[in-house]
């Protein structure tokens, strides 16, 4: 309020306020003292009066005498300050009151705390009434009037007001006289300063009045004017230089006050913003900012002015500017705070960074594309198949470039079509709309695709303007621009990368170049994958061929070894077979037990014979001479369990181990076509191997099941029988070699032929062998057979006759006397006339001798392997002498000769050793029926 008041008036007010304040403080202290003294005397008086009344009221309260209590209170008439008094009994009920005529409702309803309390215009006092200072009989209540205190205070205030007014009047008179001595020198200095400020003339000097402090102030003021005069000259020169520097600065320089009003605007700022200095000076700096940034600018400025936090002060802050025409542009803004004449100002240094931002954006885009190219290149380099390379490339470029549609195509030069091979995930729905899903074919018409398959990078910036079917198809799907990049390998196009966006002119030059480079990388990776695939396939074929050749060589060696062994064993068991069969057929008096034993011997010999015959051919596919029949694998499994019980039950128990047998048979189980003895041998070998794999005991499981498979759109039914053990298992190396002949892990106890023979049986039955095994977890071997019923055709007509219609004259030629004897005896029992010869030379001589005697043999039965003259020579000699005489070759190599279609010349039939009488009888009957010349008896 006093800021604009003249100094002489300020001096007068100062004197008056000082003296008045001192007087008021004095009066206030006096009044305060009197106030507190009056209240203290009032409390002392009422306390004394209360003690006297309490003492006098003791008897009245003790004897419950209300009249005496009222009489005691009536003495208060002598105390005009007491306006009300009351006695309360010990229960807090009003017992007596003063004055009596006062309404009881004006007295307190409840007893208050002991002591005094000042209320408005009254002093309240409570005191207990006691008997013997211990027993409280009731309480005394007194109320004193304080109006006398208020009256005295009003009097004191009136006195203080009068004295204050008198003091103000005296102070005014004194100040009026004294203020001139102080104000005149100051007014002189003020006039001089006004003159300097008004005219800007620092040569004016103030007139000195007196030698007191104001005189000294005048001298200092004049010296200050001299210094200011010199500094003004320097500032003028510096300002001219500063304006010249600012106007030639390469940055826009703008100065605003703390309200945002523009105070300076250099030439570069005019070029940047498009405003002349006269158009912006005096206006708010917000006109140079877009609205979105101006709000933040005001918030930052306001926060800085309030708190001093320099959130907007700094260098290199990137902001958005607004040009005169309304366009925005990026700029670097550096703001510094400047204080001029005690006022805050802010100088902003502005640099237009539009070109730099464009260059940075181009560089960043290029770096992003290079990074994307690097990621895609690394990703496709890790893949070796064409489909995954295409998928990685198209999905990466679709997501990171990004694209509205992307796909990879392969080029078919025969049909001149592109085949869609991989479509981006985000492009899948659009691909269906464009009829371009995977495996779709795109015809190449006279458009960009034709140039693309010629090896050119094609960019169609406006698809709607192209009048060709493929371009119209893409435009119909909402696409506006297309890049087609060829995939070249060895200068030949084998595919294309198609990338499209919805906007017209949707690709810039850098993106088109990037897609061309990407297609080169993808083409190189795809070509490498194709070469790698071809090399891998060639390597796999070579490895399989090597393994096949090695396997065949091993099996061939085994077959050659087994061939000789098979011949000898077949010769040895032939008499057993003949005698056993003869006894079963011609001895009706045999007991049931004997017949059972003979049947077992016969079945065992047949199995031995067939097993031996397979020792050489187990690696072959199913032989045409196998007698296949419908068999039940459940029955075969039960037979094998009984036959092998000693091996998996008794033998382990001798060394303290227990093998527990478990079976899970599917019943009913479809029949399979197979050779019963071969399957029985295979299961026997598998059970033996399983028992050997559990030296400490374990669990042996036989399981049969039905397997349904979908093959070539139809369901086929197979029967599976598996043998599992909980033994030591096989590692990967052992599992791969377990089917090789002579490979064994049993040491001297193993021959290495068991699984090899199982493998041969599987191949001959066109079945499937599966092996699952891990070390410590046991082994499971599955045999899977087809249930299809196979037709049996051994190439021989089925004859109604099972034996010759009449006795025959037979010539038997062999080098084994036991075979000659057994076969002769069996045939003679059938009623035939039998002539035998030991060896090929003796046989030929016997045949020729019979011819000279005009006696012919109906059939000649000869062995193959005989010293000096073998069966082939015998057959040739017989046919030379009598071409109509049938020749039967009875040999231990019969199966091999039939399998290899190696029937010797001049031989009519081949039978295998050991001979079976039923087969021999059917053969003799067939030969007799087909004879073209009469047969002599």
């Amino acid at each position: 309020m006093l800021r604009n008041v003249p100094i002489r008036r300020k001096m007068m007010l100062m004197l008056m306020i000082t003296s008045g304040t001192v007087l008021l403080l004095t009066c206030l202290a006096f009044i305060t003292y009197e106030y507190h003294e009056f209240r203290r005397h009032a409390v002392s008086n009422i306390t004394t009066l209360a003690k006297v009344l309490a003492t006098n009221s003791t008897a009245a309260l003790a004897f419950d005498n209300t009249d005496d209590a009222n009489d005691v209170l009536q003495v208060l008439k002598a105390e005009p300050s007491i306006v009300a008094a009351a006695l309360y009994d010990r229960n807090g009920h009003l017992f007596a009151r003063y004055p009596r005529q006062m309404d009881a409702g004006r007295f307190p309803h409840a007893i208050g705390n002991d002591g005094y309390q000042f209320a408005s215009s009254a002093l309240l006092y409570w005191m207990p009434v006691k008997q013997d200072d211990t027993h409280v009989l009731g309480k005394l209540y007194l109320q004193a009037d304080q109006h006398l205190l208020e009256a005295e205070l009003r009097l004191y205030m009136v006195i203080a007001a009068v004295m204050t007014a008198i003091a103000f009047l005296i102070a005014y008179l004194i100040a009026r006289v004294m203020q001139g001595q102080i104000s005149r020198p100051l007014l002189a200095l003020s006039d001089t300063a006004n003159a300097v400020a008004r005219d800007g003339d620092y040569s004016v000097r103030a007139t000195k009045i007196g030698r007191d402090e104001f005189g000294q102030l005048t001298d200092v003021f004049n010296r200050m004017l001299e210094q200011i005069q010199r500094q003004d000259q320097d500032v003028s020169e510096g300002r001219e230089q500063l304006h010249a520097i600012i106007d030639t600065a390469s940055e826009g320089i703008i100065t605003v006050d703390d309200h945002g009003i523009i105070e300076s605007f250099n030439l570069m700022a005019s070029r940047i913003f498009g405003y002349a200095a006269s158009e912006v000076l005096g206006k708010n700096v917000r006109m140079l900012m877009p609205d979105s940034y101006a709000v933040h600018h005001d918030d930052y400025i306001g926060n800085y002015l309030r708190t001093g936090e320099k959130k907007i002060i700094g260098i290199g802050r990137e902001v958005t500017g607004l040009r005169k025409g309304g366009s925005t542009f990026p700029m670097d803004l550096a703001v510094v705070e400047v204080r001029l004449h005690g006022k805050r100002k802010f100088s902003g240094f502005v640099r237009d960074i539009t070109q730099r931002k464009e260059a940075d954006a181009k560089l960043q885009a290029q770096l992003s594309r290079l990074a994307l190219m690097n990621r895609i290149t690394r990703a496709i380099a890790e893949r070796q198949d064409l489909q995954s390379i295409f998928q990685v490339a198209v999905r990466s470029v679709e997501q990171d470039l990004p694209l509205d549609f992307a796909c990879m195509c392969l080029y078919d030069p025969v049909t001149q079509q592109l085949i869609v091979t991989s479509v981006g995930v985000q492009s899948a729905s659009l691909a269906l709309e464009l009829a371009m899903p995977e495996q779709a074919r795109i015809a190449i018409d006279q458009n960009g695709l034709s140039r693309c398959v010629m090896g050119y990078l094609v960019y169609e910036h406006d698809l709607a303007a192209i009048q060709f079917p493929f371009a119209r198809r893409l435009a119909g799907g909402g696409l506006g621009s297309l890049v087609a990049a060829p995939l070249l390998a060895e200068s030949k196009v084998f595919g294309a990368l198609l990338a499209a966006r919805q906007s017209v002119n949707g690709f810039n030059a850098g993106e088109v170049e990037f897609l061309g480079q990407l297609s080169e990388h993808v083409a190189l990776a795809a070509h490498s994958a194709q070469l790698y695939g071809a090399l891998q396939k060639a390597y796999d074929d070579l490895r399989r061929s090597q393994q096949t050749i090695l396997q065949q060589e091993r099996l061939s060696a085994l077959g050659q070894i087994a061939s000789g062994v098979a011949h000898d064993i077949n010769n040895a068991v032939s008499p057993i077979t003949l005698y056993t069969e003869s006894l079963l057929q011609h001895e009706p008096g045999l007991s049931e037990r004997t017949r059972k034993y003979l049947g077992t011997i016969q079945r065992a010999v047949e199995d031995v014979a067939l097993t031996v015959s397979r020792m050489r051919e187990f690696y072959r596919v199913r032989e045409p001479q196998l007698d296949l029949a419908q068999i039940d694998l459940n029955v075969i499994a039960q037979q094998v369990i009984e036959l092998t019980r000693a091996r998996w039950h008794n033998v382990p128990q001798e060394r303290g181990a227990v093998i527990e047998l478990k079976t899970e048979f599917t019943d009913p189980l479809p029949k399979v076509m197979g050779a019963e003895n071969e399957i029985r041998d295979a299961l026997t070998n598998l059970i033996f191997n399983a028992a050997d794999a559990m030296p400490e005991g374990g669990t042996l499981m036989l399981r049969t099941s039905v397997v349904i498979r979908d093959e070539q759109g139809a369901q086929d039914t197979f029967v599976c029988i598996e043998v599992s053990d909980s033994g030591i298992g096989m590692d990967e190396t052992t599992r791969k070699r377990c089917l090789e002949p002579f490979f064994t892990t049993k040491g001297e106890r193993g021959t290495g032929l068991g699984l090899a023979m199982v493998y041969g049986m599987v191949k001959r039955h066109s079945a499937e062998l599966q092996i699952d095994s891990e070390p410590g977890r046991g082994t499971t071997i599955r045999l899977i057979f087809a249930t299809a019923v196979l037709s049996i055709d051994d190439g021989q007509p089925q004859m109604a006759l099972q034996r010759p219609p009449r006795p025959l004259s037979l010539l038997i030629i062999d080098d084994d006397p036991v075979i000659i004897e057994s076969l002769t005896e069996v045939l003679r029992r059938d009623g035939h006339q039998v002539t035998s010869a030991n060896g090929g030379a003796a046989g030929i001589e016997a045949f020729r001798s019979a011819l000279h005697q005009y006696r012919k043999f109906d059939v000649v039965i000869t062995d193959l392997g005989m010293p000096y003259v073998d069966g082939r020579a015998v057959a040739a000699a017989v046919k030379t002498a009598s071409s109509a005489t049938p020749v039967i070759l009875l040999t231990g190599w019969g199966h091999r000769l039939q399998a290899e279609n190696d029937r010797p010349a001049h031989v009519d039939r081949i039978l295998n050793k050991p001979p079976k009488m039923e087969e021999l009888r059917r053969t003799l009957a067939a030969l007799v029926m087909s004879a073209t010349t009469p047969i002599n008896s």
Side-chain angles (χ1 to χ4, degrees):
M1 293 176 60
L2 300 177
R3 185 177 300 166
N4 300 322
V5 177
I7 190 170
R8 57 179 180 272
R9 294 185 180 178
K10 291 179 181 178
M11 294 295 297
M12 293 175 63
L13 290 174
M14 180 180 66
L15 292 175
M16 293 174 64
I17 292 173
T18 301
S19 58
T21 301
V22 171
L23 182 58
L24 285 174
L25 290 176
T26 302
C27 294
L28 181 61
F30 174 72
I31 292 171
T32 303
Y33 173 77
E34 287 298 327
Y35 174 76
H36 286 288
E37 280 298 312
F38 185 86
R39 296 185 69 169
R40 188 177 62 80
H41 284 297
V43 171
S44 178
N45 291 338
I46 198 170
T47 302
T48 302
L49 181 59
K51 290 180 179 179
V52 173
L53 290 176
T55 302
N56 295 334
S57 303
T58 303
L61 288 171
F63 295 101
D64 197 19
N65 192 337
T66 306
D67 295 335
D68 288 347
N70 286 323
D71 292 340
V72 171
L73 295 180
Q74 292 304 314
V75 300
L76 293 175
K77 292 181 179 180
E79 293 292 336
S81 62
I82 302 301
V83 296
L87 279 173
Y88 292 83
D89 60 14
R90 64 172 57 88
N91 296 322
H93 299 141
L94 184 62
F95 186 74
R97 63 179 181 268
Y98 168 81
R100 290 185 178 181
Q101 65 274 15
M102 184 178 291
D103 185 10
R106 297 178 60 185
F107 290 91
H109 298 289
I111 298 174
N113 296 327
D114 295 345
Y116 67 90
Q117 176 183 1
F118 285 97
S120 60
S121 302
L123 173 61
L124 309 180
Y125 195 88
W126 291 89
M127 176 174 282
V129 179
K130 300 181 180 179
Q131 184 179 7
D132 299 331
D133 295 331
T134 57
H135 184 59
V136 178
L137 300 175
K139 275 198 176 183
L140 173 66
Y141 167 73
L142 297 178
Q143 178 180 347
D145 188 11
Q146 296 292 307
H147 289 93
L148 182 59
L149 174 61
E150 294 177 358
E152 289 185 0
L153 289 178
R154 283 195 295 271
L155 177 61
Y156 292 154
M157 290 181 182
V158 170
I159 294 172
V162 172
M163 293 302 295
T164 301
I166 294 173
F168 273 125
L169 179 59
I170 295 173
Y172 172 75
L173 296 176
I174 295 173
R176 186 177 179 83
V177 176
M178 297 296 294
Q179 58 86 22
Q181 299 296 324
I182 298 174
S183 61
R184 278 198 298 273
L186 294 176
L187 291 174
L189 289 174
S190 177
D191 293 341
T192 303
N194 288 333
V196 172
R198 182 181 62 252
D199 301 330
D201 185 5
Y202 294 101
S203 62
V204 178
R205 299 294 182 265
T207 302
K208 182 177 180 181
I209 302 175
R211 298 180 180 178
D212 56 4
E213 289 82 356
F214 290 108
Q216 296 175 4
L217 179 61
T218 302
D219 291 338
V220 172
F221 183 75
N222 288 332
R223 288 198 297 272
M224 182 183 67
L225 287 177
E226 292 177 0
Q227 294 176 359
I228 292 175
Q229 184 177 5
R230 289 196 297 270
Q231 292 176 358
D232 181 63
Q233 293 175 354
D234 295 338
V235 168
S236 297
E237 295 175 358
R239 183 181 295 112
E240 292 176 358
Q241 295 177 358
L242 179 61
H243 282 306
I245 293 173
I246 291 175
D247 286 340
T248 57
S250 60
E251 296 180 342
I253 302 176
I254 306 170
T255 302
V256 299
D257 61 13
D258 54 5
H259 296 291
I261 303 302
I262 300 175
E263 295 184 348
S264 67
F265 201 76
N266 72 340
L267 291 177
M268 181 55 67
S270 297
R271 295 192 185 101
I272 292 175
F273 290 95
Y275 290 100
S278 58
E279 295 179 283
V280 298
L281 293 178
K283 296 182 181 178
N284 198 294
V285 73
R286 291 186 57 173
M287 68 182 296
L288 305 178
M289 309 173 189
D291 293 338
S292 59
Y293 180 73
V295 175
H296 297 289
H297 173 267
D298 292 344
D299 292 341
Y300 287 142
I301 287 287
N303 181 74
Y304 172 68
L305 294 177
R306 289 192 307 272
T307 64
E309 295 183 12
K310 299 182 179 181
K311 290 185 177 180
I312 64 165
I313 306 301
I315 298 176
R317 181 180 180 85
E318 184 177 321
V319 296
T320 301
L322 182 65
R323 288 194 174 94
K324 182 176 181 180
S327 61
T328 59
F329 66 97
M331 65 181 185
D332 272 345
L333 173 64
V335 181
V336 296
E337 181 185 4
V338 180
R339 288 185 178 268
L340 297 176
H341 309 297
K343 295 183 179 180
R344 287 178 176 174
K345 299 182 184 298
F346 300 96
S347 291
F349 299 88
V350 178
R351 183 185 297 272
D352 187 351
I353 59 173
T354 301
Q355 294 181 351
R356 191 186 76 189
K357 291 287 288 184
E358 293 176 352
D360 289 346
K362 292 180 180 178
L363 179 60
Q364 189 63 36
Q366 185 67 17
L367 291 175
S368 299
R369 288 192 290 268
L370 289 176
L372 176 58
M373 178 72 74
N374 188 30
R375 290 198 304 272
I376 296 175
T377 302
R378 288 202 306 269
I380 63 179
E382 297 172 355
R383 288 158 173 80
Q384 299 297 338
D385 62 292
L386 193 64
Q387 184 65 26
S388 63
I389 291 174
F390 281 178
Q391 287 178 350
V392 168
V394 74
R395 292 178 183 178
S396 298
V397 75
E398 175 192 51
Q399 180 178 359
D400 295 332
L401 200 54
L403 299 172
D404 296 318
F405 178 78
C407 70
M408 302 292 297
C409 303
L410 290 177
Y411 175 56
D412 185 356
V414 177
T415 61
Q416 293 189 347
Q417 291 178 328
L418 288 178
I419 304 172
V420 180
T421 306
S422 180
V423 178
V425 176
Q426 301 174 7
S427 306
S429 58
L430 184 56
L432 293 176
E433 182 180 346
L434 297 173
M436 292 176 58
E438 292 185 1
Q439 303 307 317
R441 291 180 172 267
I442 305 172
I444 299 175
D445 45 23
Q446 298 300 319
N447 55 12
L449 292 183
S450 61
R451 288 181 288 134
C452 178
V453 297
M454 294 173 62
Y456 297 101
L457 178 64
V458 178
Y459 173 38
E460 301 290 359
H461 62 88
D462 186 1
L463 292 172
I466 302 175
Q467 300 302 317
F468 289 104
F470 181 66
R472 288 200 299 270
R473 183 197 303 184
L474 297 181
L479 298 176
S481 52
L482 168 71
V483 175
L487 304 179
L488 292 111
E490 298 178 354
S491 302
K492 293 182 179 180
V493 176
F494 68 91
L497 165 62
L498 303 183
R501 285 179 175 162
Q502 294 179 349
S503 58
V504 177
N505 295 316
F507 296 87
N508 56 41
E511 291 173 332
V512 175
E513 181 182 1
F514 167 77
L515 290 172
Q517 294 172 350
L518 175 63
S519 67
E520 295 176 1
H521 285 267
V522 173
L524 180 61
H527 185 59
S528 299
Q530 291 174 336
L531 293 178
Y532 176 82
L535 180 62
Q536 184 67 34
K537 183 177 183 301
Y539 173 76
D540 292 340
D541 292 343
L542 176 61
R543 184 180 61 183
R544 285 192 296 268
S545 299
Q546 291 175 341
Q547 292 177 348
T548 302
I549 293 172
L550 180 61
Q551 182 79 353
Q552 291 296 331
E553 288 179 353
R554 290 175 178 173
L555 296 177
S556 176
L558 176 61
Q560 293 174 5
I561 295 173
S563 178
V565 176
H567 179 268
D568 294 340
I569 293 177
N570 286 334
N571 284 340
V573 299
S574 293
I576 301 174
T577 301
L578 293 171
Y579 285 132
T580 301
E581 188 173 356
S582 178
L583 288 173
L584 290 173
Q585 292 180 358
H586 300 291
E587 296 293 337
L590 296 176
S591 65
E592 187 64 29
R593 182 178 181 182
T594 303
R595 286 188 175 277
K596 179 179 178 182
Y597 287 166
L598 290 175
T600 302
I601 293 173
Q602 184 181 32
R603 187 164 58 250
V605 171
E606 289 175 354
D607 288 349
V608 169
L610 290 175
T611 300
V612 171
S613 68
R614 292 196 306 273
M615 288 178 62
R616 182 177 178 274
E617 287 90 8
F618 65 86
Y619 60 92
R620 299 178 182 274
V621 296
R622 189 180 67 225
E623 299 171 351
Q625 78 278 9
L626 285 179
D627 289 332
L628 301 182
Q630 292 188 355
I631 59 176
D632 189 338
L633 291 182
N634 285 342
V635 175
I636 299 295
Q638 290 289 358
Q639 292 176 355
V640 172
I641 289 173
E642 295 301 324
L643 288 174
T644 60
R645 181 175 296 275
R647 183 67 175 272
W648 58 262
H649 183 267
N650 299 336
V651 173
Q653 280 190 350
E654 292 177 359
R655 60 175 184 270
V658 176
I659 294 179
E660 180 184 1
L661 176 69
K662 294 183 178 180
T663 59
E664 293 181 5
F665 293 155
T666 299
D667 190 19
L669 189 69
K671 298 293 195 313
V672 300
M673 299 301 296
E676 179 178 342
N677 58 317
E678 289 200 7
I679 297 176
R680 186 164 51 245
D681 289 346
L683 292 177
T684 301
N685 278 321
L686 294 181
I687 291 178
F688 284 174
N689 287 341
D692 291 339
M694 298 183 288
E696 304 299 329
T699 301
L700 174 63
M701 169 68 76
L702 266 72
R703 179 186 293 111
T704 60
S705 60
V706 178
V707 179
I708 306 298
R709 294 179 177 175
D710 290 332
E711 296 184 357
Q712 298 180 351
Q715 288 188 342
D716 291 336
T717 303
F718 298 85
V719 177
C720 174
I721 182 167
E722 64 180 47
V723 179
S724 301
D725 65 72
S726 59
I728 59 177
M730 296 183 287
D731 57 23
E732 185 65 20
T733 302
T734 303
R735 193 185 67 79
K736 289 181 177 180
R737 299 190 59 193
C738 64
L739 300 179
E740 296 179 5
F742 308 117
F743 176 80
T744 180
T745 59
K746 301 177 183 179
E748 295 181 357
R749 296 184 298 108
T751 63
L753 298 177
L755 285 179
M757 296 181 69
V758 173
Y759 176 72
M761 182 278 297
V762 168
K763 290 300 182 181
R764 286 190 295 276
H765 283 76
S766 298
E768 181 179 348
L769 174 66
Q770 295 180 354
I771 302 176
D772 293 337
S773 184
E774 292 184 19
R777 301 187 64 178
T779 301
T780 298
I781 297 181
R782 300 181 189 88
L783 306 179
I784 302 176
F785 298 88
T787 59
V789 178
L790 300 178
S791 61
I792 302 176
D793 184 8
D794 58 1
Q796 300 178 16
Q798 299 296 321
M799 303 298 297
L801 294 178
Q802 297 300 317
R803 59 178 59 211
R806 58 182 176 82
L808 303 177
S809 176
L810 304 175
L811 174 61
I812 298 176
I813 305 172
D814 204 304
D815 62 339
D816 190 339
V818 178
I819 295 178
I820 293 175
E821 181 181 356
S822 59
L823 187 58
T824 299
E825 183 176 351
V826 169
L827 290 174
R828 283 176 177 172
R829 281 192 177 185
D830 282 355
H832 302 296
Q833 294 179 359
V834 180
T835 302
S836 62
N838 191 347
I844 295 173
E845 182 64 26
F847 183 81
R848 290 175 177 172
S849 176
L851 287 179
H852 288 314
Q853 299 175 8
Y854 301 100
R855 181 171 59 89
K856 290 185 177 180
F857 293 104
D858 295 322
V859 178
V860 176
I861 302 175
T862 180
D863 188 15
L864 176 62
M866 295 179 292
Y868 307 113
V869 180
D870 62 3
R872 291 184 175 85
V874 172
V878 170
K879 290 293 185 179
T880 301
S882 176
S883 61
T885 303
V887 177
I888 297 176
L889 191 64
L890 180 63
T891 176
W893 294 312
H895 286 323
R896 179 180 64 81
L897 295 175
Q898 291 178 349
E900 295 177 357
N901 197 21
D902 186 20
R903 176 184 295 182
H906 314 298
V907 173
D908 296 284
R909 294 286 189 272
I910 298 176
L911 296 180
N912 195 59
K913 289 183 180 179
K916 297 178 181 180
M917 288 307 300
E918 293 298 328
E919 183 180 17
L920 181 57
R921 291 182 184 117
R922 288 196 302 269
T923 303
L924 291 173
L927 291 175
V928 170
M929 293 298 295
S930 62
T932 58
T933 59
I935 299 177
N936 297 326
S937 59

